[in-house]
Amino acid sequence: MSFVFSSESVTEGHPDKVADQVSDAVLDALVALDPASRVACETFVATEQAVVAGEITSQAFDEIDLVKIIRGAIADIGYTSPEVGMDGRNCGLLLRLVEQSPDIAQGTAARADGKIGAGDQGMMFGYAQRNTLHGTTDPDPADDFMPVPISLAHGLTRRLTEVRKDGTLSYLRPDGKSQVSLRFDDDGVPVAVDGIVLAAQHDPDVDQETLQEDLREHVVDHVIPAGWLHDETRFYINHTGKFVKGGPAADTGLTGRKIIVDTYGGWIPHGGGAFSGKDPTKVDRSAAYYARYAAKNLVAAGVADRLQIQVAYSIGSLQPVSYHVETFGTGKLPDASIEDLLKTQFSFAPGDVITELGLRAPLYRPTAAYGHFGRTDVELPWEKLDRVETLAETVGTLA
């Protein structure tokens, strides 16, 4: 049965993404100097005000200039004046940072055997799908192993930022959003875009007709495969009219409030935990990354055309308390066999995850906008396809 599925994305200037980027900028600065830093950093932004709070235990805490890092992150996005939405260089700034609770720390402290327990309970999901599900016309990128709607939505918001920053559409401002409604045929293959929503903040002297024409030409046509646009495709570009006031001046922003944008666009379930501002002992982040890594390599190795992995932890646990595999009828092996393969070929022990993916490094801020998965514009260790050959050989012996 054919169906339509929608996913959304937001630009780096969206208030919630401003908060995510500040939190991850703080995290990166700390782990760059002290890789063992324990960080849970939350940011709130509003009209000319940023509040950064949380729990940090790090030998680098007194060595970094938190104020400079926070202000720099906001200004880098493009918020350099109240008229645009915020002046990161001069806005109010309130810091409320304390050491991590010893009751939480005991769950993640290295034991006598050097192993690290999970920083909290919770469940995490990872997902990948074969590129053949992109249909006969490959979107760009075609090799991201991601659900197509979220790939296209991210493509639109990335492009909004590109044309703003390179001067193609210099009247654009940092805030913006996208949404793509994609039609799938009876076999689950995407065939057409039924609707595109774009909201782009802009200077006050731009008329709506010019804006809509420019966004069609320089954003939509650049991202959406022409074969998927049709006479009945609906366009909602700044649907309510002008969008001059934006960013934190128009809406508050909070770390961790765009978890569906960060992951798979609603295509699969979400465990509920946010990513940004958390060091890798927090399995909300690290185990979700590793589940994506495992799913992507297993799909590339031919285990299934679609693979969803769920793992769950208890605070302090050295291994997941449960695993679950779902292939949606596309598995080349029974799901139970794939689960066994997952357990034997991948170690979800928190310490092993951190080591294998090299997560004690300043690599987080680029993930804080445009998604944590399927990225081809930045190198992320959980996107590597470095286990495919070995897994394919193992699968061959089991098939």
Side-chain angles (χ1 to χ4, degrees), residues 15-38:
D16 292 329
K17 280 293 148 198
V18 174
D20 283 341
Q21 289 167 92
V22 169
S23 293
D24 274 339
V26 172
L27 172 63
D28 276 353
L30 290 164
V31 297
L33 298 178
D34 177 11
S37 296
R38 302 294 173 86

Side-chain angles (χ1 to χ4, degrees), residues 240-323:
T240 57
K242 69 177 183 179
F243 182 9
V244 174
K245 186 175 183 178
D251 194 7
T252 59
L254 185 64
T255 299
R257 203 158 55 182
K258 282 290 176 284
I259 58 176
I260 302 303
V261 170
D262 285 343
T263 52
Y264 303 97
W267 188 258
I268 69 163
H270 193 291
F275 298 157
S276 289
K278 296 179 179 178
D279 75 82
T281 65
K282 279 73 171 176
V283 285
D284 278 341
R285 184 169 214 164
S286 55
Y289 288 171
Y290 199 65
R292 161 66 176 177
Y293 171 68
K296 186 175 179 180
N297 276 270
L298 285 165
V299 167
V303 168
D305 292 335
R306 297 176 60 195
L307 178 59
Q308 173 186 296
I309 296 169
Q310 185 208 53
V311 291
Y313 293 84
S314 170
I315 188 169
S317 62
L318 299 179
Q319 294 286 345
V321 299
S322 71
Y323 296 82

Side-chain angles (χ1 to χ4, degrees), residues 121-163:
Q121 70 175 52
M123 60 278 193
M124 303 84 208
F125 288 88
Y127 177 80
Q129 65 179 46
R130 290 184 62 83
N131 301 332
T132 52
L133 294 185
H134 282 270
T136 55
T137 302
D138 289 336
D140 185 19
D143 57 351
D144 61 2
F145 290 80
M146 289 288 286
V148 187
I150 189 64
S151 289
L152 296 179
H154 283 322
L156 291 173
T157 52
R158 281 197 304 267
R159 183 61 181 169
L160 277 176
T161 298
E162 287 172 6
V163 297

